[in-house]
Amino acid sequence: MAPEVSPRRARAVLVTLSLAAFAFITTELLPVGLLTHIAPDLGRSRSEVGLLVSGYAVVVVLASIPLTRLTQRIPRRQLLGVTMLLFAAANAAAALASTYAVLAGSRLVTALAQALFWSIATATVIGPFPVAVRGRAVALFSTGATLAPVLGVPLGTWLGQQAGWRAAFAVLAGVGLAIAAAVLVLLPSYPPAAGGAARGSAPDGRRFAVLLIATALGIGGFMTLQTYVTPFLLDVSGFTDGVLAPLLFVSGAAGVVGTLVAARTLDSRPIASLLTPLSIGTVSLLGLYALGALRPGVVALLAGIGLAYAAFGSAVQNRMLQLAPGSTDIASAGVSTAFNAGIAGGSLLGGALLPLSGARPLALAGGLLTLAAVTLLAVDTRRGRVGPEPTVAQPSTSPPATRRPVGHPDSAADGRPSGTRPV
């Protein structure tokens, strides 16, 4: 049994790990913003610096499940604390890197830490909350990752432009140390199997496999265009360089809105929360293919893609907590693998199509992939195997239960550690 966690402490852990997600995604994408500064300083081409991002995703794909299996018996406080210390050390090494090889090595360590973090963080942060509000907690946790491209990468890029690219990585190292300290102070220590979200609430191996396939297809569809959205906006829509940053900010801000909207539906309608963003993303991608030269429409459709991408990511994490056929840590590692496989596959597909047919068909290819994902989930639901969507439990009219000490046989009778409340 997991130890009792007060509502205030549970929320503090939620905020801390959301900030950790913000830091990891910022670190992952930062070389994109600092590419023109890193390349000449280390005497490498821009494409070689770009490999620091694509190679990072490949490492996450390959390492997530093996690392999770190797560490599945280690208490989460110690494991997450060490993970954040590795994150800090790797970013410090990046800040001091004198060669491309050292920088690439530091990125490898950071990618390994991220692979482990995404495999264990969701179940750890959600465990203290009641089942009826876990979807809301998932969405709040996901806000950190959603904000990273909107705030973290632009701020890191600005800092790198003002003080040198090494300064940006040095600041991230300091952030990692602060988060590691907070994790070690706030997170209770208990065996991983005792966590409140250590197992799926409605385990089903077949449905979970469908979720993984749909995740890879859907994310691959989004990334087929998103990786090369700049040439699309320049060549197809006819925007100038000067408005690219505001356009990308619109997409990122819409992603934050999508995450917050998802927080209101994940608990009561988990299946619709998967299908709706995929449908919005499909319409937006196919709309860009058809109306890519119509600038006002492009802005709205770009926002639709940002909203759909973020909301879908939150919905996948929430559904994983329900369907995981075994340990949610292993299931989360599987989701991370599918997610990053979609990122890598979509980027490769877009990169192959771009020189052959230009940027416009990327939106069509991406829309067809997200359409395949939403069709797969919809057909599975229609066959009647997914089951009805759960509803949030209504407040009880009975007198409040007496608070019991940890270890009392009835202390977790309501499905959560005693003393916790909805967020």
Side-chain angles (χ1 to χ4, degrees), residues 36 55 78 136 152 160 172 186 194 206 235 290 309 353 363-364 397 401 412:
T36 56
Q78 290 88 325
R136 189 183 309 172
L172 285 167
L186 294 171
R206 187 196 60 78
D235 301 341
Y309 183 86
L353 291 176
L364 175 61
T397 57

Side-chain angles (χ1 to χ4, degrees), residues 93-187:
L96 299 172
S98 58
T99 66
Y100 178 82
V102 173
L103 181 58
S106 72
R107 296 283 294 176
L108 171 63
V109 174
T110 312
L112 291 173
Q114 179 165 323
L116 186 56
F117 174 83
W118 282 115
S119 299
I120 64 177
T122 303
T124 301
V125 77
I126 302 307
F129 294 100
V131 173
V133 297
R134 281 183 183 169
R136 189 183 309 172
V138 166
L140 294 176
F141 169 59
S142 300
T143 302
T146 305
L147 283 172
V150 183
L151 294 178
V153 175
L155 285 174
T157 301
W158 176 83
L159 179 60
Q161 292 170 340
Q162 303 303 312
W165 64 269
R166 300 173 190 277
F169 286 100
V171 168
L172 285 167
V175 170
L177 281 175
I179 293 174
V183 165
L184 293 173
V185 169
L186 294 171
L187 192 63

Side-chain angles (χ1 to χ4, degrees), residues 39 54 60 158 217 396 418:
S54 56
V60 174
W158 176 83
L217 287 172
S396 173
S418 160

Side-chain angles (χ1 to χ4, degrees), residues 6 13 34 38 61 77 117 130 149 167 192 212 223 242 291 300 307 322 348 357 414:
S6 69
V13 171
L34 297 176
I38 296 174
V61 169
R77 180 173 69 180
F117 174 83
L212 292 183
M223 293 308 297
L291 306 173
L307 183 149
Q322 297 169 348
L348 288 173
S357 54
D414 64 350

Side-chain angles (χ1 to χ4, degrees), residues 21-402:
F22 175 88
F24 269 115
I25 300 301
T26 298
T27 299
E28 180 178 3
L29 300 178
L30 190 56
V32 174
L34 297 176
L35 187 147
T36 56
H37 297 268
I38 296 174
D41 187 44
L42 297 181
R44 294 286 179 154
S45 67
R46 295 181 179 183
S47 60
E48 287 175 309
V49 175
L51 288 175
L52 297 175
V53 176
S54 56
Y56 192 108
V58 172
V59 171
V60 174
V61 169
L62 296 177
S64 293
I65 293 178
L67 283 178
T68 305
R69 290 191 178 279
L70 285 172
T71 59
Q72 59 185 336
R73 297 185 183 276
I74 302 175
R76 304 295 89 164
R77 180 173 69 180
Q78 290 88 325
L79 187 55
L80 280 169
V82 170
T83 298
M84 294 313 302
L85 288 174
L86 283 175
F87 171 88
N91 276 287
L96 299 172
S98 58
T99 66
Y100 178 82
V102 173
L103 181 58
S106 72
R107 296 283 294 176
L108 171 63
V109 174
T110 312
L112 291 173
Q114 179 165 323
L116 186 56
F117 174 83
W118 282 115
S119 299
I120 64 177
T122 303
T124 301
V125 77
I126 302 307
F129 294 100
V131 173
V133 297
R134 281 183 183 169
R136 189 183 309 172
V138 166
L140 294 176
F141 169 59
S142 300
T143 302
T146 305
L147 283 172
V150 183
L151 294 178
V153 175
L155 285 174
T157 301
W158 176 83
L159 179 60
Q161 292 170 340
Q162 303 303 312
W165 64 269
R166 300 173 190 277
F169 286 100
V171 168
L172 285 167
V175 170
L177 281 175
I179 293 174
V183 165
L184 293 173
V185 169
L186 294 171
L187 192 63
S189 183
Y190 52 86
R199 292 290 185 273
S201 58
D204 189 302
R206 187 196 60 78
R207 282 183 284 177
F208 181 68
V210 170
L211 178 67
L212 292 183
I213 296 170
T215 298
L217 287 172
I219 297 302
F222 284 117
M223 293 308 297
T224 298
L225 176 70
Q226 288 289 79
T227 308
Y228 303 96
V229 68
T230 296
F232 185 95
L233 295 174
L234 294 175
D235 301 341
V236 179
S237 304
F239 288 106
T240 62
D241 286 333
V243 299
L244 288 179
L247 287 172
L248 296 178
F249 177 81
V250 166
S251 179
V256 176
V257 173
T259 302
L260 296 177
V261 170
R264 304 178 65 88
T265 63
L266 289 176
D267 293 306
S268 58
R269 297 188 176 278
I271 301 170
S273 296
L274 282 169
L275 296 176
T276 300
L278 274 177
S279 300
I280 293 173
T282 300
V283 171
S284 298
L285 286 165
L286 296 179
L288 278 179
Y289 174 72
L291 306 173
L294 187 63
R295 293 182 189 176
V298 167
V299 176
L301 293 170
L302 200 63
I305 292 172
L307 183 149
Y309 183 86
F312 179 63
S314 296
V316 168
Q317 289 292 333
N318 180 64
R319 195 63 174 149
M320 177 275 296
L321 290 170
Q322 297 169 348
L323 299 180
S327 163
T328 49
D329 287 344
I330 300 298
S332 186
V335 167
S336 179
T337 299
F339 206 97
N340 283 278
I343 292 174
S347 299
L348 288 173
L349 176 60
L353 291 176
L354 186 63
L356 296 176
S357 54
R360 186 168 187 170
L362 301 186
L364 175 61
L368 292 176
L369 284 174
T370 56
L371 178 61
V374 73
T375 301
L376 178 64
L377 290 171
V379 168
D380 187 56
T381 302
R382 186 169 295 178
R383 285 177 177 173
R385 300 189 188 126
V386 174
E389 296 200 43
T391 56
V392 178
Q394 297 299 316
S396 173
T397 57
S398 60
T402 303

